[in-house]
């Protein structure tokens, strides 16, 4: 069994600050744990409004706290996000996320992230990013 603490992981190289200043993510469970998925606690900063397109991954996002909205860009549908909402990108959906207040999200990725991924120009994660220690 593996046991980790968010407070400790936040102070390690598992904590990633997005270069665009929109979010940070503490990656609690990664590819080298051999679980077939990765699990992160992500904070989206208040006022952030940005696009993503996880072409190489499936992602589920559960809102723990905060308020905002997610839009699927191919059809323009907007979904409010509040604590208890999960959105599931089962179609590699191009999407826009807007945080009205700071949002804390639990995120699961399949395939699992290596650890150091940040968004590329398309808002995707490359499959060959460096791993955490
Ligand atoms: C909700 C979302 O996709 N935010 C971007 C960060 C990502 N979830 C991550 O790497 O944890």
């Amino acid at each position: 069994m593996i046991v980790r603490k968010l407070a400790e992981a936040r102070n390690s190289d598992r904590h990633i600050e997005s270069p665009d200043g929109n979010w940070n993510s503490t990656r609690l469970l990664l590819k080298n744990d051999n679980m077939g998925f990765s699990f992160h606690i992500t904070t989206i900063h208040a006022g952030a409004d940005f696009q993503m397109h996880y072409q190489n991954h499936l992602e589920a996002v559960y809102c723990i706290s905060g308020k905002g909205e997610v839009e699927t860009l191919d059809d323009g549908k907007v979904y409010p996000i509040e604590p208890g909402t999960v959105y599931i990108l089962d179609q590699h959906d191009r999407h826009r996320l807007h945080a009205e207040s700071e949002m804390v999200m639990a995120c699961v990725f399949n395939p699992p992230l290596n650890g150091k991924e940040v968004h590329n120009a398309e808002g995707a994660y490359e499959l060959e990013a460096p791993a955490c220690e």
Side-chain angles (χ1 to χ4, degrees):
M1 191 169 74
I2 301 165
V3 177
R4 297 193 176 111
K5 308 252 184 204
L6 179 60
E8 291 171 8
R10 271 194 213 285
N11 292 318
S12 77
D13 75 334
R14 292 176 175 277
H15 184 80
I16 305 295
E17 292 283 346
S18 177
D20 59 17
N22 286 321
W23 54 268
N24 65 58
S25 178
T26 305
R27 292 165 174 174
L28 291 170
L29 169 63
L30 287 163
K31 182 179 181 180
N32 62 7
D33 294 311
N34 297 313
M35 291 287 286
F37 59 91
S38 61
F39 179 81
H40 324 152
I41 299 295
T42 295
T43 299
I44 313 291
H45 301 307
D49 196 321
F50 59 105
Q51 295 185 14
M52 291 165 275
H53 187 194
Y54 291 123
Q55 298 162 65
N56 303 317
H57 297 86
L58 301 168
E59 186 195 21
V61 182
Y62 176 82
C63 178
I64 297 169
S65 65
K67 200 173 166 212
E69 63 182 29
V70 64
E71 175 182 358
T72 42
L73 293 169
D74 286 348
D75 59 11
K77 283 191 185 166
V78 177
Y79 303 86
I81 299 174
E82 60 186 12
T85 306
V86 63
Y87 66 87
I88 301 161
L89 301 163
D90 63 324
Q91 303 295 322
H92 300 279
D93 314 65
R94 286 195 313 124
H95 61 293
R96 179 184 66 86
L97 185 61
H98 172 58
E100 289 165 31
S101 59
E102 179 181 279
M103 295 197 294
V104 178
M105 319 287 248
C107 308
V108 175
F109 276 81
N110 169 23
L113 298 200
N114 296 328
K116 300 291 195 183
E117 288 85 348
V118 292
H119 294 135
N120 68 15
E122 277 92 47
Y125 290 149
E126 308 285 352
L127 289 171
E128 301 301 331
C132 293
E133 281 168 17

